Amino acid sequence: PSPGESHPKDEHGEFVFLTEHSTYGPSVAFGPDQLGLIREVVPLVESRSVKIFSAVPPTDDPVLRESRPFQVLSHLVGHESPGSLHHLLMEEGWINSLSSGIGISCSDFCLTSISINLTPKGMRQRDQVLAKTWQWLALIKDSVMNDPHGLIEEYHKELKTITDISFKFREMGDPTDFSSRAAEKLFDYEPHKVLVGSSEAGEYDAEVARAFLQRLTPQNSLVVVTGPDVEDSQDDLDSSARDGEWQIEERYGGKYRQVRMSDSLLEKWNHPTDIDSRFSLPGLNEFIPEDVSLRCDDPDSVATFDPDIDYRKEPPKLIVDTPKLRMWHKMDRTFRVPKTSIRLQLNSPEVYRSPRAITLNRLFQKVLTDDLNSYVYDATVAGCNYRVSCVPSAYRFSVSGYSEKLPHLLDVVTARIASLIQEMKEGDEAHPALAEIFKKAKDNLLRQTKNYIYDSPYETGSYNMRMLMETPVWHISDYIAEMEGEYAEHDPLTMKECAEVAEKCLFGRSKAVSLCIGNIDEKQAKEVAELIESHFLKSRPLADDENPRFRSLRLPTKEEAIQIYDESVASREVPIIYEALAHSESEENNAVEVVMQTASSFELGFEGLAIQELIGHMAYNSAFNQLRTKEQLGYIVSAFTKKITGGGNAFCVLVQSSNTLPPGVEESCLSWIEQFRKELENMSEERIAMEAQAVRANILEKDIKLAEEISSVWGEILATVPHTDHYKNPVFDRLERFADVLTLDDNKIDNESSIRSAADLKKRVLDFYDKYFLPSSPERRIVSSRVYNRKAKDKFDENVGKPGFISCYDDARKLKQHLSSFPTAPYW
């Protein structure tokens, strides 16, 4: 409406959204008959959730598109700060996650969605979960209705500011994705608004906000409760649909029942009389950046800028080099966004010391993530992100976002880690809410670990190969035994022990590497280094030999396999076969992964690795055409090169099939390996040179946004971590040197390779293939990983105990005692 005018109303004085039910009216998809219901659903897989769907006008209605009250609503419902719905439900141990947004969007209507993922405890207490949710909505409504230009309007302005900053400093993306999204937006925006349209919000409109929120009532909502417990539950819950008849959904066969909400329940949810005193609306966001100036525009930086230099090729500079910490720094001059990324890895041999140690560290990561959400949620909303992860050799930290607020975020995260460990050490009685979070983390980790057995057959086969070729590794059964079973009952994982183990890894003896890159100068980067040292690096550093290192084991040649087993394996093209049985009774697929090891990266060098990469590039299409298109073995077909932790390399052929048993799939894979050798021999030199140029172009593809440069630079730094001081400096031009091998030029000078012409290249490709992949080669190191579906259990049982067949991880452990390891030295 024009200034001074009101929005249109109907004859009853109700707000009118012009596009609502305008296309298909008077037919209404979600009217009184479909709303005001509680529906219980029995899921096919184990999951527990409560979802509240409320019918609202379409979000592209002109007044909603302008002021967007649904964004503020979603922001507040899903907020994770102390005092929020998420924080309270998490503290009670009732939920794993909570999200809010537009669930279904159509031209006639929309359904808002509040989705709450429940713990088993939360499922039993879902009446409380729903009551708290409606209390939280009542608190939001009260603020909108009674304070039309107060806090809610400030939230709107904050979100508008964040959106404006995000749009202004949006980086380049994939051109194909951009074109697709832009085409879709042309339905909703004029061409001159396509870029900015979805990021452009108008001023806050209290009248529109009130009208929108009035739709969020129980009688205008559908509550869907999903869980395996609802079918047999005897709980006398208000939110139960126990009086409804079980039905089968006609299209997907889902089992459900539903009832209409009782008058007493509607009254209770519509007008909660006692709102939990722990609830409070969040404060304003202190992480929204105000200073978005660029350090590369500072006078000192401008003075040293050279327009003829491609600064993407400029390597980071080592600015801190001590026995405890090595930090690299690079100020961005290319992408010109006010963003910075800080990466840190704390290496400790304690992280992966035992199955118990890594399990406790993973638990701490989960507890920390849950705990930190309430502390730094505002930062994530404002475009700053953090991640703390536990890998076998270290803890990794990543903090990124708008530069002005990043040091503050890093300080908050690191300080909270220390205080959290102290609280956990004080035990369950001192911190019962924290004990609930730890218990939930343990339940979730156990469930996730056990769910591995339901992975796709091809994933199970790949996991078995990793267990065979890498050392040291702990098997998944080792992790489960730490969390459940006889020994776990006698010696359970405790919150106190978890804190003590994490403390030893994070604050004990360690060695750190770090990267500061983006809109940050050297002085600021050194201040970050001081913060890292003051928080984490107080103990003396690791000795070089204490640095955690992992090795890749050499698979046996056929002659070696005969020595390990007996002559019976000599008759098979693949002397060693790792077999497994799919766990799920409903699994219909089989899988085979044929793995042929080549050599270590050190032994292959730049030239060998480039040849291996080229073969993998050419092999994919050939394998797919033969095994998928012609033989129709299955939808998942691939041929690829694989790097093995510890310096090893391999070429793999992978197929998942529902119509052929593993021996038949394996036979087809082996036949293709010989067929592909003939294809390479018949391939023209010009064609191979063209394929090499394609690989080279892919390797040398330029980074188009800061995040891509960060990823590649950080990867080069991490590659040096396992090595001794002799190899401690990253080779930031490694990819360029790698690509030079595939550059065909009679006059090139290249110390890494003697390949000059297409004829040279073809000969090297064939020699490499013959040495490592042909059955006649004495250096061929081949193993097949088979996974059978349950219907073929008898075929699996036939091979148990036969020489050369591995049927369980104990068999794999026995074989690994015979295997030597590859050199771990780098190839550069």
Side-chain angles (χ1 to χ4, degrees), residues 536-704:
F536 294 114
L537 306 178
K538 298 177 182 178
S539 300
R540 70 186 182 89
L542 291 177
D544 194 61
D545 288 338
E546 293 179 288
N547 205 26
R549 293 183 177 90
F550 296 85
R551 292 186 173 273
S552 177
L553 299 176
R554 292 184 192 268
L555 296 174
T557 63
K558 180 170 282 191
E559 288 300 316
E560 292 167 346
I562 292 171
Q563 292 178 358
I564 295 170
Y565 294 101
D566 57 36
E567 286 289 339
S568 64
V569 303
S571 61
R572 298 199 301 262
E573 185 175 341
V574 182
I576 298 176
I577 299 171
Y578 199 140
E579 294 196 327
L581 193 64
H583 184 81
S584 174
E585 295 288 346
S586 62
E587 181 59 68
E588 297 180 351
N589 290 301
N590 307 287
V592 167
E593 183 176 3
V594 176
V595 177
M596 295 175 287
Q597 277 188 340
T598 53
S600 71
S601 297
F602 172 74
E603 293 163 324
L604 292 175
F606 279 98
E607 181 177 302
L609 289 168
I611 296 297
Q612 178 179 264
E613 190 71 20
L614 175 58
I615 291 173
H617 169 77
M618 294 186 291
Y620 175 81
N621 287 333
S622 173
F624 191 89
N625 182 55
Q626 179 63 35
L627 302 175
R628 168 71 183 94
T629 306
K630 293 181 179 179
E631 297 187 34
Q632 293 286 305
L633 288 178
Y635 287 104
I636 298 177
V637 173
S638 189
F640 53 93
T641 59
K642 176 189 286 186
K643 286 191 174 295
I644 306 165
T645 300
N649 291 274
F651 176 69
C652 307
V653 185
L654 184 150
V655 177
Q656 181 166 286
S657 175
S658 60
N659 56 34
T660 307
L661 290 175
V665 174
E666 183 183 291
E667 184 179 351
S668 293
C669 292
L670 296 174
S671 176
W672 170 80
I673 289 168
E674 295 195 53
Q675 172 191 314
F676 184 56
R677 169 60 173 79
K678 296 174 184 176
E679 292 178 19
L680 289 173
E681 188 171 9
N682 295 330
M683 198 176 290
S684 69
E685 294 171 359
E686 291 75 15
R687 168 69 185 280
I688 290 182
M690 183 182 70
E691 298 286 358
Q693 178 60 26
V695 174
R696 183 177 181 276
N698 186 53
I699 292 170
L700 295 179
E701 187 174 357
K702 289 185 177 181
D703 300 325
I704 61 172

Side-chain angles (χ1 to χ4, degrees), residues 305-489:
F305 178 74
D306 187 340
D308 296 326
I309 294 177
D310 182 354
Y311 283 98
R312 279 176 292 201
K313 295 181 179 179
E314 183 182 47
K317 174 185 175 184
L318 183 65
I319 60 170
V320 177
D321 187 5
T322 69
K324 293 182 178 181
L325 173 67
R326 305 189 84 219
M327 174 181 277
W328 284 262
H329 164 256
K330 181 179 179 180
M331 183 173 67
D332 170 52
R333 296 176 184 266
T334 304
F335 304 103
R336 298 184 60 80
V337 289
K339 297 179 180 179
T340 296
S341 181
I342 301 168
R343 302 290 179 92
L344 170 67
Q345 175 160 308
L346 291 172
N347 300 289
S348 169
E350 303 298 332
V351 175
Y352 204 66
R353 177 75 70 190
S354 65
R356 191 175 186 89
I358 185 64
T359 300
L360 287 165
N361 279 301
R362 286 170 176 160
L363 284 173
F364 180 76
Q365 176 191 327
K366 285 183 171 292
V367 172
L368 177 65
T369 300
D370 273 356
D371 179 81
L372 277 177
N373 281 347
S374 62
Y375 282 82
V376 297
Y377 180 76
D378 277 343
T380 61
V381 171
C384 293
N385 299 291
Y386 79 95
R387 178 174 172 78
V388 180
S389 58
C390 172
V391 297
S393 60
Y395 270 91
R396 286 179 182 167
F397 299 78
S398 172
V399 183
S400 58
Y402 294 104
S403 311
E404 181 193 12
K405 303 295 183 176
L406 219 57
H408 177 45
L409 175 59
L410 179 62
D411 192 36
V412 169
V413 170
T414 53
R416 180 53 189 158
I417 289 173
S419 61
L420 177 63
I421 285 177
Q422 186 57 40
E423 290 174 14
M424 291 175 70
K425 285 167 65 177
E426 291 168 4
D428 297 9
E429 292 185 5
H431 300 280
L434 200 53
E436 281 290 344
I437 294 176
F438 179 77
K439 182 181 181 302
K440 186 186 72 173
K442 192 159 59 169
D443 291 343
N444 287 343
L445 182 61
L446 176 61
R447 185 182 69 251
Q448 291 164 5
T449 306
K450 292 170 72 174
N451 278 347
Y452 149 77
I453 60 180
Y454 293 103
D455 278 356
S456 298
Y458 81 91
E459 293 174 304
T460 301
S462 294
Y463 175 81
N464 288 340
M465 282 290 92
R466 188 173 77 80
M467 290 292 102
L468 182 61
M469 293 188 292
E470 297 177 14
T471 189
V473 289
W474 308 120
H475 194 263
I476 194 165
S477 59
D478 299 323
Y479 302 138
I480 294 173
E482 293 293 345
M483 291 183 280
E484 75 171 8
E486 179 184 353
Y487 295 111
E489 289 178 6

Side-chain angles (χ1 to χ4, degrees), residues 291 293-305 331 333 336 519-521 524:
D291 179 8
S293 61
L294 301 176
R295 300 289 71 77
C296 60
D297 288 339
D298 291 345
D300 292 345
S301 300
V302 171
T304 59
F305 178 74
M331 183 173 67
R333 296 176 184 266
R336 298 184 60 80
N519 189 42
I520 184 171
D521 59 30
Q524 293 170 320

